[in-house]
Each structure stands twice: as structure tokens, then as C-alpha cells.
């Protein structure tokens, strides 16, 4: 059996392909909505955040052969916990991560290494700023941007109760919240940018399947500044950006 952390839109397909190649799979996700997406295609799911010790206990208890980490590129704590659990349990750790995108040197594209730097760059640019970075780091942006002259802060995020509660706690007005679940077409992105008069868009670099390229390209074509937070640099060891590589590594680990 394979223990698999799922956190991207293509993780489900990878889990199905692993299963189709003869492996039993136990997936792990954080949210109920993600769990429902996996359950509906017959995948076994464990829901909720897990520590390294908890992961290791599951691996030992169920006799897992390997840990496959297909969590989001920015899920640094999940990566660290999965790698620690693999070491503790003596099983291989295999990372699946989408290939990064290569962008031209566009004058409206601002690549930064962190959320803090993104907030400071947005503060410098001013205007109508649309965040598409989720609720977890919203406080970093509200701390720097809310109440600043010549800045309107708009947050696009998943329509989850915890996100709405966080917006309320941080003082983000309802008129500046876009509670919606993707994926989004180019037309949808453009319509939202135009509706909110967006002049700056903040996003994370997560790879093509996550549709960040369409979000970025449509913004640039509309003359919108794009602040792109680059992926954290993590030494994963065994890492693949294609499904067959993961499956071949699992066969080797049998």
C-alpha cells in the first residue's frame, strides 16, 4: 500500500494511475471538499493535517511501501513531515511536483521569493490589488495593505467558512471578497479583473495544471502588474514531474 499526500488538482489523477498499476493507495488531504473529490472516484481518504509522527504511525500500522508527496508546492510543513515520516519508518519518499513555468522577462511581471516581499511590492505599486494566494497568508497582506491610501485590497479564495471568518477577523469588507472555486477560464479571469478594476494581481507559482499560467497571461495582456511568488526551494531527493516516473520508482521500491 502507498501513503499519498494529495494537494493539487492533478494529484487525484496520479493516485488513480498508481492504483491502476496494481498498488493500493491511501490518500491524505486537509479539507473535506478535497476528500470528497477523492472519495467520489473510489479512493480511500484520510482527512486532516498530520504530524510526522502521525504519518509514521500510519505507515507502520498499515505496512506502507512508500510515501508519495503530491501536496501543493507551497505546503512546506507537509513536505517536511512526510520526509521525516519516511525516514522514521524506513520507507522511500517520492515527491511529485508539476514542472515549473518559464516566463519571459515581462516589464509587468514581478517575481518575489516570499509572501512578505509580495505584500511590500504590492504596497509600492498601489491600486486595486487582487490576491489569489488563499486565506492562510491573508494576514500578511492585510497588515501591509489594508487602510493604505490609494489601495483597494480584493481577495479571491475558496468559499470555506474558515476563509470567511478570517476575512472578518482581519477587517476585509465583504464587497472585496470573491468566494469562488476554480478552475477558471481565461474569460472568467478577465471578467473578474475588469469588474474590480484590478491593477495588481498577486499569485503563487504552482505549475501549469493549477492554471497559474492563464491567470498570469490574461492579467499581463490587460496591462495588470503581476506579482508572482516563486516556489520555496526544498531538497526533496527523489522528485518527478511526470506520473510514470513516480510509478517506476514505486515498482523499484516493491
Amino acid at each position: 500500500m502507498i501513503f499519498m499526500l494529495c494537494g493539487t488538482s492533478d494529484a487525484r489523477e496520479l493516485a488513480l494511475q498508481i492504483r491502476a498499476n496494481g498498488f493500493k493507495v491511501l490518500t491524505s488531504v486537509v479539507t473535506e471538499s478535497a476528500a470528497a473529490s477523492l472519495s467520489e472516484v473510489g479512493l480511500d481518504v484520510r482527512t486532516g493535517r498530520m504530524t510526522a509522527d502521525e504519518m509514521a504511525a500510519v505507515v507502520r500500522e498499515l505496512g506502507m511501501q512508500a510515501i508519495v508527496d503530491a501536496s501543493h508546492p507551497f505546503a512546506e510543513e507537509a513536505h517536511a513531515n512526510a520526509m521525516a515520516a519516511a525516514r522514521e519508518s524506513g520507507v522511500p519518499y517520492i515527491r511529485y511536483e508539476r514542472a515549473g513555468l518559464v516566463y519571459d522577462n515581462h516589464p509587468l511581471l514581478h517575481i518575489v521569493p516570499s509572501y512578505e516581499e509580495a505584500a511590500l511590492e504590492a504596497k509600492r505599486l498601489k491600486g486595486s490589488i487582487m490576491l489569489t494566494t488563499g486565506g492562510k497568508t491573508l494576514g500578511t497582506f492585510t497588515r501591509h495593505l489594508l487602510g493604505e491610501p490609494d489601495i483597494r485590497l480584493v481577495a479571491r479564495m475558496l468559499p470555506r467558512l474558515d476563509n470567511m471568518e478570517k476575512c472578518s477577523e482581519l477587517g476585509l469588507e465583504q464587497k472585496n471578497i470573491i468566494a469562488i472555486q476554480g478552475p477558471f477560464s481565461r474569460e472568467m479571469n478577465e471578467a473578474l479583473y475588469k469588474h474590480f478594476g484590478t491593477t495588481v494581481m498577486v499569485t503563487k507559482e504552482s505549475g501549469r495544471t493549477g492554471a497559474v499560467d492563464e491567470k498570469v497571461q490574461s492579467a499581463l495582456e490587460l496591462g495588470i502588474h503581476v506579482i508572482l511568488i516563486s516556489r520555496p526551494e526544498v531538497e526533496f531527493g527523489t522528485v518527478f514531474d511526470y506520473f510514470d516516473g513516480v510509478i517506476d520508482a514505486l515498482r523499484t521500491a516493491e
Side-chain angles (χ1 to χ4, degrees):
M1 180 178 279
I2 308 303
F3 186 63
M4 181 172 173
L5 280 67
C6 297
T8 60
S9 53
D10 48 350
R12 183 174 79 163
E13 181 60 32
L14 174 57
L16 289 172
Q17 289 205 23
I18 291 172
R19 188 177 67 180
N21 276 270
F23 296 95
K24 292 182 178 179
V25 182
L26 174 62
T27 61
S28 174
V29 294
V30 174
T31 66
E32 294 292 343
S33 60
S37 173
L38 297 172
S39 295
E40 69 185 13
V41 292
L43 290 165
D44 292 329
V45 189
R46 182 184 178 108
T47 308
R49 298 185 188 278
M50 298 179 70
T51 65
D53 288 342
E54 288 169 339
M55 288 187 199
V58 169
V59 169
R60 288 193 298 266
E61 180 183 341
L62 298 178
M64 300 288 186
Q65 298 166 246
I67 295 176
V68 174
D69 180 3
S71 59
H72 195 278
F74 285 79
E76 295 175 79
E77 184 178 353
H79 304 327
N81 287 343
M83 286 188 279
R87 286 193 300 270
E88 184 180 336
S89 308
V91 300
Y93 168 88
I94 302 166
R95 169 67 178 159
Y96 169 76
E97 186 166 281
R98 305 166 186 151
L101 297 172
V102 177
Y103 294 96
D104 295 331
N105 188 22
H106 197 288
L108 296 178
L109 182 62
H110 312 260
I111 300 177
V112 297
S114 67
Y115 294 99
E116 187 78 17
E117 290 292 331
L120 292 173
E121 183 67 5
K123 186 175 182 178
R124 183 185 70 81
L125 292 170
K126 300 186 183 300
S128 180
I129 300 166
M130 182 180 291
L131 302 179
T132 65
T133 48
K136 190 175 180 181
T137 57
L138 181 61
T140 300
F141 294 95
T142 57
R143 184 171 69 252
H144 287 291
L145 303 175
L146 267 190
E148 286 292 314
D150 303 318
I151 288 180
R152 179 187 186 185
L153 184 62
V154 176
R156 189 176 91 180
M157 57 182 60
L158 290 171
R160 296 202 322 245
L161 179 60
D162 59 332
N163 281 339
M164 299 305 101
E165 289 174 341
K166 178 165 282 190
C167 288
S168 178
E169 291 167 7
L170 294 172
L172 193 65
E173 295 182 81
Q174 291 181 11
K175 65 181 180 181
N176 292 327
I177 301 170
I178 308 169
I180 191 170
Q181 182 166 347
F184 304 98
S185 65
R186 175 183 289 258
E187 292 77 15
M188 182 64 162
N189 282 320
E190 290 179 354
L192 289 172
Y193 295 148
K194 291 175 181 177
H195 179 77
F196 287 93
T198 305
T199 59
V200 179
M201 189 271 286
V202 184
T203 189
K204 300 180 289 190
E205 199 281 291
S206 54
R208 186 170 300 279
T209 307
V212 71
D213 52 331
E214 285 194 2
K215 185 165 46 178
V216 169
Q217 293 301 332
S218 58
L220 294 175
E221 288 173 11
L222 290 172
I224 296 169
H225 287 272
V226 173
I227 300 173
L228 183 69
I229 304 168
S230 57
R231 292 180 182 180
E233 293 186 7
V234 180
E235 289 295 331
F236 289 115
T238 304
V239 57
F240 299 96
D241 60 9
Y242 56 102
F243 291 176
D244 286 347
V246 175
I247 293 165
D248 288 344
L250 290 174
R251 289 198 182 105
T252 302
E254 283 188 283

